[in-house]
Amino acid sequence: MSVWWLLPLVVGFSFFLTAALRRYALARSMMDVPNERSSHSIPTPRGGGVAIVITFLFSLVSLCWTGWIDMAFFIGAFGTGAMVAVIGFMDDHGHIAARWRLLGHFVAGGWALFWLGGLPELEVASVVLHLGWIGGAFALFYLVWMLNLYNFMDGIDGIASVEAVCACLGVCILYGISGHQALIWAPLLMVAAVAGFLIWNFPPAKIFMGDAGSGFLGIMLGMFSLQAANVDSRLFWGWLILLGVFIVDATFTLLRRLARGDKVYEAHRSHAYQYASRLYGRHLPVTMTVLLINVFWLLPIAFSVIRFNVDGVLATIVAYVPLLVMALRYRAGELEVKAVNPKR
């Protein structure tokens, strides 16, 4: 049974729910007020990502009902997404200590892995690896890192939404050409859920995603990639390539801050995309550049892995090298010396 009819309903529901959440945030003074670590200059409502969470989770029910996803993935995704969103929502309303927040993230990641069946075998440089419990531990840290890096990268208008739309649409193409059409529906409905919110979040943003939405997106994309790895190892590398902009910027920035001895759990604005937005004085050029990189650089490389059977590790390295150069060019992880008043 086709569920194409569900897509416009999901976009519309997400759009109107975001509008309602914006009114709620304004009424409750849930505002993201600019400070010295902000990348915006105007107080803006936050928490709009809850619309993505609610819309997508309810659309998952339809997918499960029509048989397009299996019950195990549904239970894992619904439970994991709900846990992460609740933690993020509570943090949006009042600060939660980093250690308790991180503990919750690991519990959510563990729940996801239980229903996914852990990390499947992966093909690395033509060698099939069976990693066992080590792979399970790696997969758990991978999911928690995906959750947190997405939260770190949600710092300027539209960037997290655009990244999710590009990655999910790109992987739908990969699923189609590899003959795994059954996997298309979950990421396609995620595109629809994010699109309704993006109308409000596109620069200049009228509402921000908040931790509930960004963390939810990060761990859901991580789950999608592990689900795909269970079907075809090449699809996992495809996911890593498509998410390259976020993975490279967030990971390189974290490593640089760790090496300097910074408290990495504290808020900052030293990611490459944040430096770039201050350099150009606007968020739109940076967000649109991320879109163009995804479409014209990362998608063709991911396509080559599936269509022409290019080695996934080699393709990922090729995809990441220019991104790393850009991260260095835009000072990712460098200590900010001079305060700047950016525009939002």
Side-chain angles (χ1 to χ4, degrees):
M1 180 186 298
S2 175
V3 289
W4 286 106
W5 58 269
L6 191 57
L7 294 176
L9 293 181
V10 170
V11 174
F13 187 76
S14 177
F15 173 84
F16 288 110
L17 185 54
T18 302
L21 287 167
R22 185 174 184 273
R23 287 195 295 271
Y24 171 82
L26 289 170
R28 296 298 182 94
S29 297
M30 286 177 54
M31 306 294 288
D32 197 322
V33 180
N35 56 44
E36 68 279 1
R37 293 190 178 97
S38 301
S39 293
H40 64 286
S41 59
I42 301 173
T44 305
R46 66 175 184 268
V50 172
I52 298 172
V53 176
I54 294 174
T55 305
F56 179 73
L57 291 182
F58 275 101
S59 68
L60 270 189
V61 176
S62 299
L63 286 186
C64 187
W65 182 265
T66 54
W68 282 105
I69 59 171
D70 60 52
M71 183 60 70
F73 182 80
F74 170 75
I75 295 173
F78 200 99
T80 298
M83 276 190 276
V84 169
V86 168
I87 292 169
F89 185 78
M90 292 171 63
D91 201 39
D92 283 335
H93 281 70
H95 180 68
I96 300 175
R99 62 181 180 276
W100 298 117
R101 189 168 64 245
L102 191 60
L103 176 61
H105 295 167
F106 273 101
V107 171
W111 176 264
L113 283 179
F114 175 80
W115 292 101
L116 285 170
L119 181 72
E121 60 184 34
L122 293 176
E123 184 176 333
V124 179
S126 301
V127 177
V128 178
L129 299 180
H130 306 272
L131 299 177
W133 68 267
I134 297 176
F138 167 80
L140 178 59
F141 277 92
Y142 166 72
L143 286 177
V144 174
W145 178 228
M146 284 296 300
L147 186 166
N148 283 279
L149 78 81
Y150 222 89
N151 182 277
F152 298 156
M153 294 295 291
D154 178 34
I156 62 172
D157 299 350
I159 191 170
S161 303
V162 165
E163 178 74 358
V165 169
C166 288
C168 287
L169 281 179
V171 86
C172 286
I173 295 173
L174 303 187
Y175 290 161
I177 64 174
S178 61
H180 300 297
Q181 286 82 0
L183 294 177
I184 288 175
W185 289 108
L188 196 58
L189 286 175
M190 181 66 83
V191 170
V194 174
F197 167 78
L198 180 57
I199 297 170
W200 294 94
N201 185 237
F202 196 77
K206 298 177 180 64
I207 188 169
F208 296 161
M209 188 176 291
D211 289 350
S214 60
F216 173 82
L217 277 178
I219 204 162
M220 285 295 103
L221 298 182
M223 282 193 70
F224 290 164
S225 67
L226 291 179
Q227 178 198 32
N230 274 287
V231 175
D232 186 336
S233 178
R234 296 175 303 165
L235 293 172
F236 179 70
W237 297 112
W239 269 106
L240 292 186
I241 291 167
L242 291 171
L243 292 168
V245 172
F246 273 31
I247 291 174
V248 171
D249 191 350
T251 304
F252 184 75
T253 299
L254 176 71
L255 293 175
R256 209 166 188 180
R257 296 185 72 228
L258 278 171
R260 193 168 55 240
D262 291 357
K263 296 178 180 178
V264 295
Y265 53 84
E266 289 185 347
H268 65 95
R269 56 174 194 171
S270 61
H271 288 281
Y273 77 90
Q274 291 170 318
Y275 275 117
S277 69
R278 295 196 294 278
L279 176 65
Y280 299 118
R282 293 191 301 153
H283 293 186
L284 182 60
V286 181
T287 298
M288 293 306 298
T289 299
V290 169
L291 186 151
L292 294 174
I293 291 172
N294 276 292
V295 173
F296 295 107
W297 175 245
L298 298 177
L299 179 57
I301 295 176
F303 181 89
S304 73
V305 172
I306 306 303
R307 183 67 179 84
F308 304 112
N309 208 29
V310 173
D311 181 75
V313 177
L314 176 61
T316 303
I317 293 172
V318 170
Y320 282 13
V321 167
L323 301 180
L324 182 57
V325 172
M326 289 184 67
L328 288 167
R329 161 69 178 81
Y330 289 102
R331 304 172 55 198
E334 283 190 17
L335 185 65
E336 187 180 13
V337 177
K338 185 179 179 180
V340 181
N341 290 319
K343 298 178 181 179
R344 180 125 194 176

